[in-house]
Each structure stands twice: as C-alpha cells, then as structure tokens.
Amino acid sequence: MREATKIIRSTLTPTKPGEPLHSGPVFAAPYHAPGDASQTPYTYARSHNPTWTHLEKAIGQMESGADYRAHALVFASGMAATTAVFGALLRPGDTVVLPANAYYAARVLAQEYFAKMGITLRLAPTANNAQAEHLEGAKLLWIETPSNPTMEVCDIAALCDAAHKAGALVAVDNTTPTPLGQLPLALGADLSVASDTKAMTGHSDILLGHVAVRDLELRQKIDQWRTLTGGILGPMEAWLALRSIATLPLRLERSCQNAQRIAEFVSTRAEVESVLYPGLPMHPGHAIAAKQMRYFGPVLSFILRNKAAAETFLAKSKLLTEATSFGGVSTSAERRARWGGDDIAEGFIRLSAGCEDIEDLLEDIAQALDAIKQ
Ligand SMILES: Cc1ncc(COP(=O)(O)O)c(C=O)c1O
C-alpha cells in the first residue's frame, strides 16, 4: 500500500459485521486484571490504554522506514514528549547540545530546570550545522529543523553522523514538517519528537505529542518516564487524533502548496523586508531541505518594517486568524515578538498556511500589505 492508503487504513478499527468502522474511545482507569497481571494486556490506564495503542500503531507506522520499524509513544502535549526525552535520558553531569533558536519553551525548560539539576547545556545555531562543533562528550544532541519560528535548516544525516561518532544520541523535534514531510529516524536520528498539536492533527482542538524510536530499550525508558510522571493523554484526545491523522496527507499537501505560494508572493512585495521559507530557492538551507524533506512545511515567516506595520497587516487581514500555534486547516498568523523569548525583529510575522483556496489567501494578504503603505 502507498502512504495515504496506509495512513487511512491504520486509523480504522478492524471491521466486524454490524460494528462501526471507528470504535469509540475507551474510558477506563483500572481494567479487569484477574490473577497474574502480566497475562492481561491492560491493567491501569496511567500505563496504557487501547485508544492510545491504536494511535501509537498509526504514528509508529508513519515514522517507520523501508528498513526499520518505529515504536511511538503518545503524550499529553509536545512539551510532555520533550520533557520525557530530557528526563529519561539526562542525568547530572551529562551534556546536551541544543539549538540556540529552538522552540523557546524547550530552551526555557532546559535552562530553568535541567541546567539547574547539574546538566550542562551547550547552545549553537541551527543554520550551517553549527551544533556539530559542540558535540564532544555530549550525551544528547537536540535538533529542530526547520526551526520555529526562524525557519533555519540543518542537515539531519550529517549531524547524526557526527553525534554518533562523538557517542551522543540524537533527538529531532519534527513538529513543523510531521513524519510525512521529513523522517528523522530514516535520516539516522535515535528519537523523533513532535508536538502533534500542530499539523499532525491539524484542527486546532487538541494538544498531543509523541516520541518515536527504533530501539526497544529506548522505548522502555521513555515509556517508564511516562508511567511514573503520569501526565498522560486522555482517551478522547487520542480518539480525536486518530480521526484527524487520516486526512494528514491531504491537509499537508494543500497547506504546504499554499505556504509555498504565499512565500513566493510576499517575496515580491516591497513592504516585506525578508521571507524565511525553506521552499524558496533563495533560502540558505534550501538545498539541504530539498534533500531531506518531502514537503517544506506549512509555516513561513516574513519580516515587515516594524511593529506598527505588522500590527496593521494583521488587523487588516480578514482571512489570517491572529493566533499562536500552527499547522491548522485554517490559516493563522501572529506578530511573533509579542511573546518575547526569541531573537527576532519587532515586525516578524509567523504565518501558518491552511487549506483554504490560495487565491482568496493571496488576495487577502495583498490587501493587508497594501494597508501598510498608507
Ligand atoms: C517546534 C515545537 N516543538 C514543541 C512544541 C510544544 O508543543 P505543545 O504546545 O504541544 O506542548 C511546539 C509548540 O508550539 C513547537 O512549535
């Protein structure tokens, strides 16, 4: 089966006459587990749940490559998945190499908690594989490509090679492209981590994260972290996610085409000082992105003259919902500097292309840019 067929089939319940194609979420705390509990597949819902199992099989299949099978574990959010990787793998005295421009909450988590517990952090930019210079003696290399929100790109295969030679494990935050757009485990990473709140589920209505690995020992460590810390995903969210991922191939194809067209269009406009999108040939990471990505992703950033220009642009737009996050079916945008925490210009706009008709989006963006001039 081809990818889209496999994904859709993986979200269905095996059919039985008279039963629904999608069985509902399983709500449970304890399960009936008589006698020897190791003989019962489900015992207590902090450790496992049949609706998670279904979702994990579907995500594991997406993360698998031609010559390996991936195991996925689902979490209550992308940050819960990130924390699980740091918490399960890092001990006092260990060193982790992080992107200086990583998603800001991952950076704050590392700085405010893990560094204060005796873990050394080394920060280096994503662009130009700059993290490769900092691997000596490291336990973990954390990569995010394209990085949010600055859209820098690094070479996953080359960095995995360098990290493994230095004895470090590699985790890739693959939130922006999803496994359909980029397959970190196939490029050599040990862990593929994502916020599935974004394009993976795509309807702006649930938080979800996952970690995927090839190695069973690694799977066991992450699983143990999830069971012991207990901040788990609810079965309703897992079920909604199963509904949503069936349409990922359709949604991603359309939203990435829209992102490309918007990036090309805003590049032609005088009000826009620069455009950051790896699908543009002028992007410094374009060649690497073209090598390792199947889709360049739904997110692009561009810089307007100043804060006032960005605020006018967002206020005048009728189709860009001003909201944070990204990867939804409806197009959204925000002036990213309003949050602080990232080294970006005041006029920096992060835009997440949705699945609307591109002509409507381009007309709306054009009139909102026109308004800046006045
Ligand atoms: C790249 C990236 N990683 C991780 C996260 C955290 O995900 P969540 O909000 O689901 O916890 C985000 C959220 O914006 C993100 O953009």
PDB file of all heavy atoms in Angstrom, residues 120-137:
ATOM      1  N   THR A 120      24.757  20.073  31.789  1.00  0.00           N
ATOM      2  CA  THR A 120      25.390  21.173  31.065  1.00  0.00           C
ATOM      3  C   THR A 120      24.676  21.385  29.737  1.00  0.00           C
ATOM      4  O   THR A 120      24.435  20.418  28.995  1.00  0.00           O
ATOM      5  CB  THR A 120      26.882  20.838  30.809  1.00  0.00           C
ATOM      6  OG1 THR A 120      27.481  20.610  32.078  1.00  0.00           O
ATOM      7  CG2 THR A 120      27.602  21.951  30.073  1.00  0.00           C
ATOM      8  N   LEU A 121      24.361  22.648  29.433  1.00  0.00           N
ATOM      9  CA  LEU A 121      23.725  22.978  28.152  1.00  0.00           C
ATOM     10  C   LEU A 121      24.733  23.656  27.255  1.00  0.00           C
ATOM     11  O   LEU A 121      25.439  24.560  27.703  1.00  0.00           O
ATOM     12  CB  LEU A 121      22.567  23.966  28.339  1.00  0.00           C
ATOM     13  CG  LEU A 121      21.470  23.651  29.336  1.00  0.00           C
ATOM     14  CD1 LEU A 121      20.386  24.722  29.248  1.00  0.00           C
ATOM     15  CD2 LEU A 121      20.881  22.294  29.045  1.00  0.00           C
ATOM     16  N   ARG A 122      24.780  23.231  26.010  1.00  0.00           N
ATOM     17  CA  ARG A 122      25.571  23.970  25.014  1.00  0.00           C
ATOM     18  C   ARG A 122      24.589  24.412  23.936  1.00  0.00           C
ATOM     19  O   ARG A 122      23.881  23.570  23.373  1.00  0.00           O
ATOM     20  CB  ARG A 122      26.632  23.067  24.394  1.00  0.00           C
ATOM     21  CG  ARG A 122      27.708  22.656  25.377  1.00  0.00           C
ATOM     22  CD  ARG A 122      28.771  21.827  24.658  1.00  0.00           C
ATOM     23  NE  ARG A 122      29.627  21.150  25.607  1.00  0.00           N
ATOM     24  CZ  ARG A 122      30.203  19.967  25.392  1.00  0.00           C
ATOM     25  NH1 ARG A 122      30.025  19.331  24.235  1.00  0.00           N
ATOM     26  NH2 ARG A 122      30.962  19.418  26.295  1.00  0.00           N
ATOM     27  N   LEU A 123      24.568  25.698  23.665  1.00  0.00           N
ATOM     28  CA  LEU A 123      23.639  26.238  22.666  1.00  0.00           C
ATOM     29  C   LEU A 123      24.403  26.664  21.425  1.00  0.00           C
ATOM     30  O   LEU A 123      25.445  27.322  21.535  1.00  0.00           O
ATOM     31  CB  LEU A 123      22.898  27.454  23.233  1.00  0.00           C
ATOM     32  CG  LEU A 123      21.972  27.206  24.427  1.00  0.00           C
ATOM     33  CD1 LEU A 123      21.397  28.510  24.950  1.00  0.00           C
ATOM     34  CD2 LEU A 123      20.839  26.262  24.050  1.00  0.00           C
ATOM     35  N   ALA A 124      23.902  26.290  20.261  1.00  0.00           N
ATOM     36  CA  ALA A 124      24.513  26.727  18.995  1.00  0.00           C
ATOM     37  C   ALA A 124      23.406  26.838  17.947  1.00  0.00           C
ATOM     38  O   ALA A 124      22.400  26.120  18.038  1.00  0.00           O
ATOM     39  CB  ALA A 124      25.574  25.729  18.546  1.00  0.00           C
ATOM     40  N   PRO A 125      23.582  27.737  16.970  1.00  0.00           N
ATOM     41  CA  PRO A 125      22.510  27.922  15.976  1.00  0.00           C
ATOM     42  C   PRO A 125      22.240  26.667  15.144  1.00  0.00           C
ATOM     43  O   PRO A 125      23.108  25.804  14.998  1.00  0.00           O
ATOM     44  CB  PRO A 125      23.045  29.034  15.074  1.00  0.00           C
ATOM     45  CG  PRO A 125      24.149  29.681  15.831  1.00  0.00           C
ATOM     46  CD  PRO A 125      24.711  28.647  16.750  1.00  0.00           C
ATOM     47  N   THR A 126      21.026  26.610  14.616  1.00  0.00           N
ATOM     48  CA  THR A 126      20.652  25.502  13.721  1.00  0.00           C
ATOM     49  C   THR A 126      21.365  25.635  12.367  1.00  0.00           C
ATOM     50  O   THR A 126      21.862  24.642  11.823  1.00  0.00           O
ATOM     51  CB  THR A 126      19.112  25.524  13.508  1.00  0.00           C
ATOM     52  OG1 THR A 126      18.508  25.242  14.770  1.00  0.00           O
ATOM     53  CG2 THR A 126      18.659  24.527  12.481  1.00  0.00           C
ATOM     54  N   ALA A 127      21.412  26.868  11.844  1.00  0.00           N
ATOM     55  CA  ALA A 127      21.972  27.082  10.497  1.00  0.00           C
ATOM     56  C   ALA A 127      23.430  26.638  10.429  1.00  0.00           C
ATOM     57  O   ALA A 127      24.159  26.665  11.427  1.00  0.00           O
ATOM     58  CB  ALA A 127      21.856  28.556  10.134  1.00  0.00           C
ATOM     59  N   ASN A 128      23.838  26.231   9.252  1.00  0.00           N
ATOM     60  CA  ASN A 128      25.231  25.825   8.968  1.00  0.00           C
ATOM     61  C   ASN A 128      25.705  24.673   9.845  1.00  0.00           C
ATOM     62  O   ASN A 128      26.900  24.532  10.098  1.00  0.00           O
ATOM     63  CB  ASN A 128      26.188  27.013   9.131  1.00  0.00           C
ATOM     64  CG  ASN A 128      25.791  28.166   8.243  1.00  0.00           C
ATOM     65  OD1 ASN A 128      25.466  27.947   7.077  1.00  0.00           O
ATOM     66  ND2 ASN A 128      25.762  29.369   8.787  1.00  0.00           N
ATOM     67  N   ASN A 129      24.808  23.846  10.336  1.00  0.00           N
ATOM     68  CA  ASN A 129      25.166  22.696  11.190  1.00  0.00           C
ATOM     69  C   ASN A 129      26.085  23.116  12.327  1.00  0.00           C
ATOM     70  O   ASN A 129      26.975  22.359  12.731  1.00  0.00           O
ATOM     71  CB  ASN A 129      25.851  21.588  10.374  1.00  0.00           C
ATOM     72  CG  ASN A 129      24.944  21.049   9.287  1.00  0.00           C
ATOM     73  OD1 ASN A 129      23.736  21.164   9.378  1.00  0.00           O
ATOM     74  ND2 ASN A 129      25.541  20.468   8.259  1.00  0.00           N
ATOM     75  N   ALA A 130      25.860  24.314  12.878  1.00  0.00           N
ATOM     76  CA  ALA A 130      26.782  24.856  13.888  1.00  0.00           C
ATOM     77  C   ALA A 130      26.840  23.996  15.149  1.00  0.00           C
ATOM     78  O   ALA A 130      27.829  24.027  15.882  1.00  0.00           O
ATOM     79  CB  ALA A 130      26.367  26.282  14.248  1.00  0.00           C
ATOM     80  N   GLN A 131      25.800  23.200  15.391  1.00  0.00           N
ATOM     81  CA  GLN A 131      25.807  22.345  16.589  1.00  0.00           C
ATOM     82  C   GLN A 131      26.907  21.278  16.527  1.00  0.00           C
ATOM     83  O   GLN A 131      27.328  20.759  17.560  1.00  0.00           O
ATOM     84  CB  GLN A 131      24.436  21.692  16.770  1.00  0.00           C
ATOM     85  CG  GLN A 131      23.352  22.678  17.180  1.00  0.00           C
ATOM     86  CD  GLN A 131      21.989  22.006  17.254  1.00  0.00           C
ATOM     87  OE1 GLN A 131      21.309  21.848  16.254  1.00  0.00           O
ATOM     88  NE2 GLN A 131      21.611  21.595  18.438  1.00  0.00           N
ATOM     89  N   ALA A 132      27.360  20.960  15.309  1.00  0.00           N
ATOM     90  CA  ALA A 132      28.380  19.910  15.148  1.00  0.00           C
ATOM     91  C   ALA A 132      29.674  20.236  15.885  1.00  0.00           C
ATOM     92  O   ALA A 132      30.418  19.335  16.287  1.00  0.00           O
ATOM     93  CB  ALA A 132      28.662  19.682  13.669  1.00  0.00           C
ATOM     94  N   GLU A 133      29.946  21.524  16.084  1.00  0.00           N
ATOM     95  CA  GLU A 133      31.194  21.945  16.746  1.00  0.00           C
ATOM     96  C   GLU A 133      31.175  21.705  18.256  1.00  0.00           C
ATOM     97  O   GLU A 133      32.167  21.924  18.927  1.00  0.00           O
ATOM     98  CB  GLU A 133      31.414  23.459  16.531  1.00  0.00           C
ATOM     99  CG  GLU A 133      31.484  23.892  15.083  1.00  0.00           C
ATOM    100  CD  GLU A 133      32.607  23.182  14.355  1.00  0.00           C
ATOM    101  OE1 GLU A 133      33.733  23.168  14.889  1.00  0.00           O
ATOM    102  OE2 GLU A 133      32.342  22.624  13.268  1.00  0.00           O
ATOM    103  N   HIS A 134      30.028  21.302  18.804  1.00  0.00           N
ATOM    104  CA  HIS A 134      29.869  21.280  20.272  1.00  0.00           C
ATOM    105  C   HIS A 134      29.548  19.892  20.817  1.00  0.00           C
ATOM    106  O   HIS A 134      29.011  19.759  21.906  1.00  0.00           O
ATOM    107  CB  HIS A 134      28.756  22.267  20.670  1.00  0.00           C
ATOM    108  CG  HIS A 134      29.028  23.651  20.195  1.00  0.00           C
ATOM    109  ND1 HIS A 134      29.730  24.570  20.937  1.00  0.00           N
ATOM    110  CD2 HIS A 134      28.743  24.258  19.011  1.00  0.00           C
ATOM    111  CE1 HIS A 134      29.835  25.694  20.240  1.00  0.00           C
ATOM    112  NE2 HIS A 134      29.256  25.528  19.069  1.00  0.00           N
ATOM    113  N   LEU A 135      29.897  18.851  20.048  1.00  0.00           N
ATOM    114  CA  LEU A 135      29.417  17.514  20.404  1.00  0.00           C
ATOM    115  C   LEU A 135      30.324  16.732  21.347  1.00  0.00           C
ATOM    116  O   LEU A 135      29.887  15.736  21.938  1.00  0.00           O
ATOM    117  CB  LEU A 135      29.218  16.691  19.122  1.00  0.00           C
ATOM    118  CG  LEU A 135      28.075  17.173  18.228  1.00  0.00           C
ATOM    119  CD1 LEU A 135      28.110  16.460  16.874  1.00  0.00           C
ATOM    120  CD2 LEU A 135      26.748  16.931  18.922  1.00  0.00           C
ATOM    121  N   GLU A 136      31.550  17.168  21.488  1.00  0.00           N
ATOM    122  CA  GLU A 136      32.500  16.344  22.256  1.00  0.00           C
ATOM    123  C   GLU A 136      31.987  16.083  23.678  1.00  0.00           C
ATOM    124  O   GLU A 136      31.662  17.012  24.412  1.00  0.00           O
ATOM    125  CB  GLU A 136      33.859  17.050  22.314  1.00  0.00           C
ATOM    126  CG  GLU A 136      34.972  16.052  22.558  1.00  0.00           C
ATOM    127  CD  GLU A 136      36.299  16.766  22.739  1.00  0.00           C
ATOM    128  OE1 GLU A 136      36.553  17.719  21.976  1.00  0.00           O
ATOM    129  OE2 GLU A 136      37.037  16.372  23.655  1.00  0.00           O
ATOM    130  N   GLY A 137      31.892  14.814  24.035  1.00  0.00           N
ATOM    131  CA  GLY A 137      31.476  14.434  25.390  1.00  0.00           C
ATOM    132  C   GLY A 137      29.982  14.597  25.652  1.00  0.00           C
ATOM    133  O   GLY A 137      29.530  14.377  26.780  1.00  0.00           O
TER     134      GLY A 137
END
